[in-house]
Structure formats: C-alpha cells, structure tokens
C-alpha cells in the first residue's frame, strides 16, 4: 500500500536528511516550516519577518530566489540573521533558474527545485513522444540538473524535489496528464538522477490545491518509492494555495492531516493567504496530535483493503430518505444542549424566520437536520429541515419530520421503528453491532469512535461494512469538547474530512461539548461555528459545494500585488457565487497550471498588471490592476455564471 498499517499508528521510517543544525526525517520530530513573503532583496524586511516566523515556531524558513541577485542576497540575509542571534536553516525556493539554484546551494542549507520548471519552459503544448525522443528529454534534464546535484554534494546542501500539480511540465502532461501519477513521475525523473549520482540528501513533496489530488499523489509516491526499491526519503507535506481563514485551515488539515494520520510526513508547511507567522502555529497543532498517538487502543486488523486509496470513488450506498446514493453528504447540527429552542435560534444554523411574511428562508449553509435529543422543537420546522430525537422520546412524540436515534439493542430487541428512516448509534470498535442492521434497509449508521486514533477506527468499521456488502449510509460523528474553533476545524477536518476524500461518509455531525458556564449567546455562537465548519469540510473534500471557493496563493517574494487585500476585494464582490472556483495567484509560476482546478483566474503578470483566465484559457492579458476585478466579473457575467447578490442574510 503506502503506509505501515491502516489500523495501528506508526510513523513511516525514512532516511535522515541534514538541513543545517536541524535534521529531518528518521526519528526526528515532524518539523514545521514556512516561507517569507517580503521581497528577497529587502534584507531588513526579510530578517524582521524571519524573526517573527521563528518566534511563531518555524524550524526552517524558505525564501524565494527568482534570479541570481536574490540568490546572492541570501548571503546578506544569513549574515544579518546571525548578527541578530537567529539560527534557522534557510531554504532557497527556485523556479525556472538553475543558475540561481547553483549559487544558492553554496549559500544556504537547502534548495527547493520544482521539477516542472527546472529544465522546462511551459508552453501548454501536447507533444507526441517516442521512447527515443522521451529518453532524449531525460538526457537533457540530466545535463541541466547534474551540476546542482554536484554542488549540493560538495557543500552538504540538502534538496527538496517539490512537485506542484499546477506546474507540471508539458512533457509530463503529454505522457501522464494532469494526474497524481504525473506528479509522482515528475519527481522521480529527477530523483533517479540523484540516486545515480549517489546523492540522497533529498526531501520530496507533491503539492496540489485540491486535497484529494494531493493525498493521492503522496500515497502513490510512497508506493512507487517502495516498489522501485528507492530509498525512503522524508516527505514535506503541504496543500498549496489553500486560501485564508477557516477555508485555508480546513483545506490544509484535510490534506496534511489525512497523511499524518497514516504516519506519512516529516515536515509540514501550511500555506495561508495571511502573514507567514500565522502558518506555523496551525502546522504545530496538526503535528502535535501525533506526539502520543502510538500505543492507542487496538483496532482490528484489515484482511483486505476494499477501496482504492489512489483514486476517488464514493462508497456505494443505498438511499435512505435524502441520505446516501447520489445525495450530497448532509450536515446535522447539534441542538441537544441549548435548552428550549426558539425560532431565532435556527439563525445560527442558516435558517431565518421572517415574521412579516411569516416565512422561513435559508442561506447556502442551512443545516439539513437538527439533533435535539430529549428537547424536541415545539414549533413547525422550516421546510426542508428535519429533526432527530432519542428513540424513547420519539415513541411519545411522533411527527412526520422527526426521526429516532436508536442503539443497536433497540434493533435487536424489536423496538418500534420509523417506517422511513432510523438512525442507529454505533461504536466503531464494536464490529459485531453490524449484525443487527443486515435486515434493515431503512437504517442510517450514526458512527462514533472513542479511540484516540479515531480516523483509522472509523475507517476500519466502514471497511467492514463494505466487506459485508452493507450499503447503509453512514454519518461520521465527532465529539468536539471545549476546543477552540480553530482546534475544532483542524481536528474535524483531519478525522472526518480525510474519510470523505476517500469516498466514505454520507453525513457529518459535530457534537458540541456542553459547558454550564456558557451563556445562551455563546452556545449559539459555538453552534454557528460548528455548522459552518461542517459545510466547509464537505466543500474542501469536494463532496458538497456551498460557497465560492478561492484558490489563493500564500504570496512570496515573487508576488506582484497585495494578495491579502486583493483576495478580500475579490471575495467581497463574489462570495455569493456558490460553487464557483476562483484562482488568485501572485505570479505566473503556478498560475496557468493551477487554473486547471479553477473556473476563473486572476494572476499577477507584471507590476500593476493582471492576466485573467477562464479555466486555463487566457481571456485578457495585462489588465491594469485597478480595473481587473471589474473585468473578472464581466468575464463571469459573459459566461452566464453571474448572479446579482441578494440582500445579505447574516
Ligand atoms: S503563485 Fe504565489 S506563492 Fe507561488 S511563486 Fe507565485 S507569488 Fe509566490
């Protein structure tokens, strides 16, 4: 497969790579890193930013070196850092410029190269290769790349071969397409050259803005390293262009967390369209979950893995009401602990009561179900919203839109059931509980885990269902205690979102820890955050679109406009375009390729100049930045995708 075990946590054993005084891989802790955003020629600004990043927990700092002069300035940055008492390994980030790489490799501890553009210029050409012509290309790469490898050997400099889904070469695209396999091959072409030259101080990465693609590519990479007998190189994990705020955190956790859960990953970079010092604390939270993971409660081994971890396919389920089959995964809000429920409380979960026309309306993140346990709602719910209550209460207070939550013993004991749909609470470590649902097609499994290796526990249970050919839909649940909203986002995205990207899960339920001290207002605020988190996880897993998606880069020294300001401006004008994906890239490096995943693109192409895309097609070049958002909206309008924003519902 791609990891030691799908049921018992252990970190993949890699070789050690020395990066200055902070070695990576082997038994060393999972390292946290980030990248500067100021101009590399701004020595003072770089040093100040690096100081903030190191104070925030960065163990390596990456700096872009687009040309020789920036590569040379790394020396000045290094000197000034030393004077300030900051000892942190520096990594030069290289695209297109082997000469800058060769200089930087003499000055800093590690060089990152992008195999998509180290020896190739992207022209978006589809080229027919014969075996001979392909081999000639590989020979050309070897000639171009060998000097850098030799310099790294001589200076003890480490290297990352960092594939990016958005910047695969025309050669790779022509042969493998825009696929995880193409991403892996892109790195392996360079890696094989390193191995031939006996250079192994290498770290590998497979970044994409789509967490599904990213996770599949890393898994495939490990699989290929093992099957080709290559060394187990350490992995640098990251979701590229993850965006900002909760979207960026959830998307990152979903991709990075999925891999960490299976023991993959030796260093992590979370890419946010925010100040770089905000990245390391998020990465640290993701990584720290594995400090005490080994030795978790035992999970039954899997005899046969019933899914393909290298491609997405939703688990086959039958339909129960609006769960399962081709229905989007549902969001269930936990209202069990807020006391008597009033009309206005449902605002927190996207349903709004309008007294004047005496009508309900909802926004794009209106919950599908509410769980009220033993405190059923005393008024008629808005159309489309349904209620789940505990079974004994349901027996007394039956209603068309109310469904029971039962335990397996209710089924075994022949208790009364709803004719259409029943939720049955099952613990993932109790595989025997599955015996009782075999004859009940109207059951939706409400799956919980108490194991600290929860994702693997939940996955194991669903594997058992697949093996037994049980096609009941499954709701993935997580008890979230009193965590901060950010912790909740990271943990739920890791534990539940990572199952969704493997096609597992027909609903999501985040149960809210009850705190007696909480005011009602605070409890509703928490509920609002949880509801939004549920929808954002589904969107990040690409299983249900409920808002506009922004694929925005974190910015770096190459950036040609203010990413944070521009993203906020574009968001303000377009955040009502549900399901539309807008790429916002500070420069052309990943720009056109990354548009493969976006519907529209806004890419820096010169000082104050923007190139606008529809998919990968350039629609307008060199648009002055002050008109570029208007022009972008015109393109969306021309495409029939524009909607006038309705009066904003909170
Ligand atoms: S896309 Fe953004 S982060 Fe990537 S190189 Fe360009 S400016 Fe830097």
């Amino acid at each position: 497969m791609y990891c030691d075990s799908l049921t018992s946590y252990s970190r993949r054993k890699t070789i050690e790579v020395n990066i200055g005084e902070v070695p990576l891989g082997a038994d060393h802790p999972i390292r946290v890193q980030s990248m500067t955003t100021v101009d590399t020629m701004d020595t003072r600004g770089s040093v100040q930013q690096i100081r903030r990043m190191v104070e925030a927990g960065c163990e390596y700092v990456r700096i872009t070196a687009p040309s020789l002069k920036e590569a040379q300035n790394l020396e000045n940055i290094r000197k000034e850092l030393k004077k300030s008492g900051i000892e942190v390994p520096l990594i030069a980030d290289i695209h297109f410029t082997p000469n800058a790489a060769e200089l930087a490799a003499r000055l800093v501890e590690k060089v990152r190269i992008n195999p998509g553009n180290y020896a190739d210029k992207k022209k978006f050409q589809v080229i027919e290769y014969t075996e001979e012509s392909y081999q000639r290309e590989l020979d050309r790469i070897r000639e171009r790349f060998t000097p850098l490898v030799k310099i790294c050997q001589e200076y003890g400099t480490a290297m990352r071969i960092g594939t990016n889904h958005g910047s695969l070469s025309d050669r790779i695209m022509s042969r493998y397409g825009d696929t995880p396999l193409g991403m892996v091959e892109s790195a392996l072409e360079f890696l094989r050259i390193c191995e031939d030259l006996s250079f192994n101080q290498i770290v590998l990465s497979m970044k994409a803005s789509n967490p599904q693609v990213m996770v599949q590519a890393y898994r495939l990479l490990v699989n290929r390293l093992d099957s080709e007998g290559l060394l187990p190189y350490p992995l640098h994990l990251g979701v590229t262009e993850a965006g900002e705020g909760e979207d960026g955190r959830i998307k990152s956790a979903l991709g990075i967390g999925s891999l960490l859960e299976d023991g993959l990953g030796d260093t992590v970079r979370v890419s946010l369209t925010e100040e770089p010092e905000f990245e390391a604390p998020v990465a640290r939270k993701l990584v720290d979950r594995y400090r005490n993971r080994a030795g978790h409660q035992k999970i039954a081994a899997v005899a046969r893995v019933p899914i393909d971890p290298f491609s997405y396919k939703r688990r086959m389920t039958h339909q129960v009401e609006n769960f399962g089959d081709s229905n989007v995964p549902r969001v269930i809000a936990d209202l069990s602990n807020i006391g008597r429920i009033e009309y206005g409380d449902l605002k927190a979960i996207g349903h709004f009561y309008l007294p004047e026309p005496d009508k309900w309306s909802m926004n794009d993140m209106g919950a599908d179900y509410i769980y009220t346990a033993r405190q059923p709602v005393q008024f008629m719910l808005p159309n489309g919203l349904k209620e789940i209550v505990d079974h004994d209460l349901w027996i007394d207070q039956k209603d068309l839109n109310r469904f029971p939550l039962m335990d397996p013993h209710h089924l075994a004991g022949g208790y009364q059931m709803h004719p259409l749909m029943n939720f049955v609470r099952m613990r993932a470590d109790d595989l025997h509980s599955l015996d009782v649902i075999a004859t009940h097609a109207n059951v939706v499994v409400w799956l919980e885990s108490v194991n600290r290796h929860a994702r693997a526990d939940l996955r194991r249970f669903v594997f058992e269902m697949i093996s037994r050919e049980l096609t009941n839909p499954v709701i993935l649940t997580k008890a979230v205690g009193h965590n901060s909203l950010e912790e909740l986002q990271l943990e739920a995205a890791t534990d539940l979102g990572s199952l969704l990207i493997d096609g597992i899960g027909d609903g999501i339920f985040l149960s809210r820890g009850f705190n007696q001290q909480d005011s009602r207002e605070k409890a509703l605020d928490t509920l609002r955050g949880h509801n939004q988190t549920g929808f954002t996880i589904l969107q990040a897993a690409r299983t249900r679109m409920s808002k506009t998606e922004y694929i925005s880069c974190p910015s770096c020294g190459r950036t040609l406009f203010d990413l944070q300001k521009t993203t906020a401006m574009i968001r303000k004008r377009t955040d009502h375009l549900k399901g539309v994906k807008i790429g916002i890239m500070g420069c052309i490096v990943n720009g056109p390729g990354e548009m493969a995943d976006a519907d529209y693109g806004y890419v820096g192409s010169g000082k104050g100049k923007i190139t606008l895309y529809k998919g990968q097609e350039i629609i307008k070049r060199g648009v002055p930045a002050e008109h570029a958002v208007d022009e972008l909206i015109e393109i969306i309008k021309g495409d029939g995708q524009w909607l006038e924003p309705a009066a904003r519902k909170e």
Side-chain angles (χ1 to χ4, degrees):
M1 288 283 286
Y2 60 89
C3 64
D4 297 343
S5 167
L6 291 176
T7 50
S8 170
Y9 177 79
S10 72
R11 189 159 148 225
R12 171 178 170 260
K13 192 87 179 165
T14 71
I15 61 163
E16 182 182 80
V17 171
N18 292 306
I19 305 170
E21 300 295 313
V22 188
L24 179 72
D27 292 324
H28 300 292
I30 303 171
R31 308 291 188 190
V32 163
Q33 61 173 290
S34 181
M35 186 166 179
T36 57
T37 58
V38 293
D39 186 335
T40 308
M41 295 309 292
D42 176 0
T43 307
R44 195 156 162 264
S46 297
V47 171
Q48 285 170 347
Q49 194 169 55
I50 291 169
R51 174 188 291 283
R52 294 196 294 277
M53 291 162 70
V54 170
E55 283 168 1
C58 255
E59 295 172 281
Y60 309 119
V61 170
R62 184 155 49 111
I63 307 175
T64 189
S67 73
L68 274 176
K69 72 178 189 328
E70 286 88 358
Q72 185 59 56
N73 203 47
L74 295 173
E75 193 171 32
N76 295 328
I77 295 173
R78 149 78 70 246
K79 274 190 202 143
E80 291 305 314
L81 284 171
K82 270 216 167 110
K83 273 195 221 156
S84 309
I86 302 168
E87 297 279 353
V88 65
L90 298 182
I91 305 167
D93 194 61
I94 306 291
H95 297 273
F96 302 113
T97 46
N99 59 354
E102 289 166 18
L103 174 56
R106 296 176 163 98
L107 302 174
V108 294
E109 287 77 7
K110 184 176 163 198
V111 173
R112 177 269 168 126
I113 61 132
N114 178 343
N117 59 30
Y118 192 79
D120 295 281
K121 294 262 177 292
K122 197 155 177 67
K123 296 186 183 127
F124 290 90
Q125 286 172 341
V126 179
I127 307 159
E128 289 284 331
Y129 287 105
T130 60
E131 284 310 311
E132 292 73 37
S133 62
Y134 203 89
Q135 187 54 47
R136 276 199 298 279
E137 281 291 288
L138 295 181
D139 293 343
R140 183 179 61 78
I141 292 170
R142 181 177 291 263
E143 200 180 309
R144 201 88 202 265
F145 182 50
T146 297
L148 177 64
V149 176
K150 293 200 164 152
I151 294 166
C152 288
Q153 277 172 317
E154 186 186 340
Y155 284 78
T157 307
M159 181 189 293
R160 171 159 67 101
I161 302 175
T163 303
N164 194 311
H165 184 225
S167 50
L168 295 174
S169 67
D170 289 349
R171 182 185 61 263
I172 288 288
M173 291 283 282
S174 301
R175 182 163 272 206
Y176 301 96
D178 188 9
T179 61
L181 179 62
M183 293 172 69
V184 171
E185 262 309 312
S186 173
L188 292 186
E189 287 181 353
F190 282 72
L191 184 63
R192 292 184 194 111
I193 297 169
C194 294
E195 287 223 338
D196 286 352
L197 295 167
S198 304
F199 177 62
N200 66 13
Q201 289 296 286
I202 295 165
V203 182
L204 299 168
S205 66
M206 296 282 123
K207 297 195 189 181
S209 65
N210 178 341
Q212 262 183 20
V213 172
M214 172 262 189
V215 168
Q216 288 161 11
Y218 276 99
R219 288 174 175 172
L220 197 59
L221 171 70
V222 175
N223 178 280
R224 289 295 296 274
L225 290 177
D226 291 351
S227 61
E228 287 197 24
L230 296 162
L231 288 171
Y233 295 96
L235 301 178
H236 163 127
L237 304 186
V239 173
T240 190
E241 290 110 25
E244 56 179 348
E246 70 168 359
D247 294 355
R249 281 160 180 75
I250 287 175
K251 219 190 241 189
S252 299
L254 214 139
I256 296 167
S258 283
L259 296 160
L260 290 173
E261 282 288 316
D262 283 330
L264 304 185
D266 305 281
T267 178
V268 165
R269 191 255 169 131
V270 168
S271 302
L272 300 174
T273 310
E274 298 178 18
E275 293 304 312
E277 58 267 33
F278 294 161
E279 296 182 343
V282 177
R284 176 60 58 206
K285 283 190 182 117
L286 290 176
V287 161
D288 280 352
R289 297 190 74 206
Y290 304 93
R291 283 188 175 208
N292 300 313
R293 183 60 66 91
H296 56 82
Q297 302 93 311
K298 198 167 179 330
I299 301 171
V302 191
R304 188 185 71 85
V305 178
I307 63 164
D308 175 5
F310 307 116
S311 68
Y312 177 81
K313 185 163 175 249
R314 187 166 173 193
R315 172 184 160 245
M316 199 177 77
T317 53
H318 63 258
Q319 179 161 332
V320 183
E321 289 294 282
N322 60 358
F323 282 92
D325 194 19
S326 58
N327 288 291
V328 292
R330 302 292 166 189
V331 174
I332 299 144
D334 185 7
L335 270 73
S336 62
N337 281 323
I338 64 163
R340 188 184 162 85
I341 299 160
E342 311 286 351
Y343 281 89
D345 298 338
L346 300 189
K347 211 159 81 171
I349 56 165
H351 293 270
F352 308 88
Y353 179 65
L354 311 169
E356 216 21 80
D358 187 21
K359 273 192 177 154
W360 288 92
S361 78
M362 67 186 273
N363 65 21
D364 290 328
M365 287 197 246
D368 304 293
Y369 285 77
I370 52 175
Y371 171 58
T372 55
R374 314 189 56 74
Q375 298 210 329
V377 172
Q378 298 299 330
F379 52 86
M380 194 192 277
L381 286 174
N383 203 8
L385 182 64
K386 294 182 177 140
E387 186 177 16
I388 303 167
V389 295
D390 290 345
H391 180 263
D392 52 347
L393 188 127
W394 174 78
I395 291 283
D396 293 336
Q397 299 196 30
K398 294 199 186 76
D399 178 291
L400 205 61
N401 284 327
R402 192 171 281 156
F403 298 91
L405 176 61
M406 315 168 73
D407 290 315
H409 79 262
H410 289 120
L411 285 191
Y415 284 57
Q416 191 181 356
M417 293 174 73
H418 194 293
L420 299 177
M421 177 164 67
N422 301 270
F423 297 88
V424 178
R425 193 194 312 261
M426 296 194 165
R427 260 181 60 155
D429 57 355
D430 183 9
L431 299 177
H432 294 300
S433 64
L434 279 173
D435 300 341
V436 298
I437 65 165
T439 51
H440 294 287
N442 58 1
V443 159
V444 175
V445 173
W446 182 281
L447 189 58
E448 301 172 339
S449 172
V450 292
N451 198 312
R452 61 173 200 277
H453 200 30
R455 195 279 291 256
D457 197 29
L458 297 167
R459 179 172 61 190
R460 173 68 186 90
F461 188 92
V462 177
F463 280 1
E464 186 72 16
M465 290 184 78
I466 299 172
S467 303
R468 295 193 194 189
E469 297 181 0
L470 294 170
T471 55
N472 304 68
V474 171
I475 294 169
L476 306 169
T477 79
K478 182 165 178 64
V480 289
H482 307 297
N483 318 23
S484 70
L485 184 57
E486 184 182 81
E487 281 162 354
L488 159 78
Q489 289 164 348
L490 300 179
E491 292 186 12
T494 299
D495 291 353
L496 308 189
S498 62
L499 292 165
L500 289 159
I501 58 171
D502 273 334
I504 293 171
D506 306 285
I508 192 165
F509 175 69
L510 304 175
S511 79
R512 197 172 59 82
F514 181 53
N515 188 345
Q516 295 280 2
Q517 318 302 322
D518 280 358
S519 64
R520 190 173 176 76
E521 204 175 306
K522 169 104 194 305
L524 288 169
D525 206 42
T526 307
L527 185 60
R528 183 177 295 109
H530 289 193
N531 189 58
Q532 207 158 307
T533 297
F535 277 98
T536 307
I537 290 173
L538 296 183
Q539 173 134 348
R542 301 285 166 100
T543 53
R544 179 173 180 175
M545 304 303 268
S546 52
K547 50 183 169 178
T548 322
E549 181 152 344
Y550 299 95
I551 301 168
S552 58
C553 84
S555 89
C556 71
R558 290 175 177 266
T559 309
L560 291 161
F561 56 82
D562 184 329
L563 243 304
Q564 291 178 43
K565 241 165 82 186
T566 307
T567 304
M569 196 163 69
I570 295 174
R571 186 183 278 275
K572 195 169 163 202
R573 307 270 305 269
T574 60
D575 73 351
H576 59 292
L577 300 176
K578 175 175 153 183
V580 172
K581 299 197 228 63
I582 302 179
I584 309 166
M585 306 291 158
C587 81
I588 207 75
V589 165
N590 296 326
E594 209 62 57
M595 292 311 134
D597 209 35
D599 301 312
Y600 302 99
Y602 182 108
V603 180
S605 52
K607 280 277 172 224
K609 294 281 185 264
I610 306 298
T611 296
L612 299 170
Y613 288 77
K614 178 182 157 192
Q616 285 189 305
E617 187 192 344
I618 293 178
I619 302 294
K620 281 197 171 165
R621 285 179 201 274
V623 180
E626 53 281 19
H627 308 304
V629 180
D630 289 333
E631 295 276 0
L632 175 71
I633 290 169
E634 285 310 311
I635 293 170
I636 300 174
K637 281 184 179 165
D639 220 16
Q641 293 281 342
W642 179 258
L643 293 172
E644 286 308 323
R648 194 169 290 274
K649 300 168 197 147
E650 291 190 36

